[in-house]
Amino acid sequence: METAARRRPLHLGDHVRRMRTALGVKQSALASELGTTQQNISRIEQEEEVDEVTLERIAKVLGVSAEAIKNFDEEAAINIVSTTFNSHDNSTSVAFKSTFNFNPIDKLMEVMDENKKLYERLLQSEREKVELLERMLKEKE
């Protein structure tokens, strides 16, 4: 009877995917930071082996160490995420940037509100012009 716990084989692509999702980073954002395509990131995440250079580059963009990806587990990821999001440095990692993502619908509504205010100011200006012209006409009569 075997008493030692069996470790499943290391699947680095799966670890990359799980780390990326734990950090709230989309494949497209990671791809953009690495100068590659979302499809390439998807392919990497499906591979059992990831070369060391690629792993190091991904780790750097995610703001974690390559060892953290290799030794990924859910609890460690939670610690990394909380440390990253509670950090007050000016990190340039995608993980840190992702805390500042915006909702495109909210942004669209802000732009529409600004547009409405601008239109109202323009309309008020035109009313003032008409009023001034009407006064000038009455004075000439």
Side-chain angles (χ1 to χ4, degrees), residues 15-16 19-20 23 25 30 34 41 44 50-70 80 84 91-95:
H15 286 205
V16 168
M19 181 66 77
R20 176 186 58 74
L23 292 169
V25 178
L30 180 59
L34 291 172
I41 299 300
I44 290 169
V50 177
D51 69 85
E52 196 64 33
V53 173
T54 302
L55 189 62
E56 287 289 337
R57 289 182 63 218
I58 290 170
K60 183 177 180 183
V61 169
L62 293 176
V64 300
S65 69
E67 287 303 311
I69 294 174
K70 288 177 184 176
I80 289 168
T84 302
S91 173
T92 57
S93 73
V94 172

Side-chain angles (χ1 to χ4, degrees), residues 27-130:
Q27 282 183 341
S28 57
L30 180 59
S32 176
E33 288 291 319
L34 291 172
T36 187
T37 64
Q38 179 270 325
Q39 291 83 1
N40 194 34
I41 299 300
S42 178
R43 182 191 54 74
I44 290 169
E45 290 178 355
Q46 293 172 19
E47 292 177 354
E48 193 167 316
E49 293 294 325
V50 177
D51 69 85
E52 196 64 33
V53 173
T54 302
L55 189 62
E56 287 289 337
R57 289 182 63 218
I58 290 170
K60 183 177 180 183
V61 169
L62 293 176
V64 300
S65 69
E67 287 303 311
I69 294 174
K70 288 177 184 176
N71 301 320
F72 180 87
D73 70 25
E74 297 296 328
E75 192 171 316
I78 290 168
N79 289 335
I80 289 168
V81 169
S82 64
T83 302
T84 302
F85 290 159
N86 292 329
S87 169
H88 294 291
D89 68 356
N90 291 326
S91 173
T92 57
S93 73
V94 172
F96 191 80
K97 287 181 198 174
S98 69
T99 62
F100 300 109
N101 281 347
F102 62 88
N103 183 341
I105 303 286
D106 291 340
K107 200 66 165 169
L108 178 63
M109 295 307 292
E110 286 176 27
V111 169
M112 288 180 69
D113 286 341
E114 289 175 22
N115 195 20
K116 182 180 176 184
K117 289 175 186 175
L118 181 61
Y119 178 75
E120 287 171 354
R121 286 195 314 254
L122 180 62
L123 188 58
Q124 182 60 34
S125 173
E126 291 299 314
R127 285 181 184 147
E128 290 170 1
K129 285 180 186 176
V130 167

